[in-house]
Amino acid sequence: MRTPVDPRASGEDLTAKARIRNAAMDLYAEHGEDRTSMRAIAVAAGVTVGLLVHHFGTKDGLRDAVEQLVVDYFAQAIAQVPVTGTPAEIGAARDAAVQEMLAANPAVVNYLRRAVLDPARREGRLLERLTELARQEVTQLRATGYASTTRSESSQVISV
């Protein structure tokens, strides 16, 4: 089993901006974005609301940072898998790395669940960002001969 890289960094080394973003992800994952106030995020991060606004401006800015953190979890899980072996072996290893990451980070799973299934939540771009990550990976694998070039790229991205 690989030692996962945590995009959140360690607790002692975090900047105030990172603490705010991490607290927001945890609270959004637990309660949903609509039911989480900026004040609650500031308290959980140990900062003032003013500092939260200074770093992110609005809840939309904070949501963007949280979504990027979720994408970073996926990107780092995939990046730690060496591109060696057959295409099927590489795909299986990447799937396993993502599964390990999700198992180790329930807040990511809960955030994803809320972001995808909450019918009232339409503001974010998380699915677009994850699709772009998949497209970049498929493009790279196709260019290096590790993914088929006879199947359409869009079909491969959807499969991911």
Side-chain angles (χ1 to χ4, degrees):
M1 185 168 173
R2 290 173 285 281
T3 304
V5 177
D6 187 352
R8 295 173 83 147
S10 66
E12 294 296 318
D13 296 335
L14 293 179
T15 64
K17 188 173 182 178
R19 287 195 323 269
I20 294 165
R21 179 206 58 208
N22 295 350
M25 185 173 87
D26 292 342
L27 291 170
Y28 290 172
E30 186 176 344
H31 305 290
E33 182 181 341
D34 293 340
R35 292 183 278 309
T36 303
S37 70
M38 290 178 80
R39 180 170 303 286
I41 295 165
V43 167
V47 300
T48 65
V49 173
L51 188 59
L52 187 155
V53 171
H54 168 75
H55 284 300
F56 297 100
T58 64
K59 272 183 106 172
D60 289 342
L62 186 53
R63 180 190 337 99
D64 286 344
V66 170
E67 287 182 357
Q68 187 58 54
L69 176 62
V70 170
V71 172
D72 290 346
Y73 270 103
F74 279 88
Q76 288 185 13
I78 292 166
Q80 70 181 359
V81 176
V83 183
T84 58
T86 67
E89 291 169 339
I90 294 167
R94 287 176 169 210
D95 287 348
V98 168
Q99 288 172 349
E100 288 173 20
M101 178 275 294
L102 291 172
N105 297 285
V108 172
V109 174
N110 291 334
Y111 185 85
L112 282 166
R113 182 179 298 118
R114 285 185 181 279
V116 172
L117 298 178
D118 185 353
R121 197 173 168 320
R122 295 189 183 6
E123 305 88 12
R125 295 182 37 238
L126 182 59
L127 291 179
E128 181 182 332
R129 290 173 180 200
L130 288 170
T131 301
E132 179 58 21
L133 173 64
R135 189 197 62 74
Q136 290 170 358
E137 292 297 321
V138 165
T139 299
Q140 180 183 10
L141 290 173
R142 287 170 64 102
T144 57
Y146 286 104
S148 170
T149 55
T150 58
R151 278 182 65 203
S152 73
E153 183 176 309
S154 59
S155 294
Q156 291 170 319
V157 170
I158 291 168
S159 294
V160 171

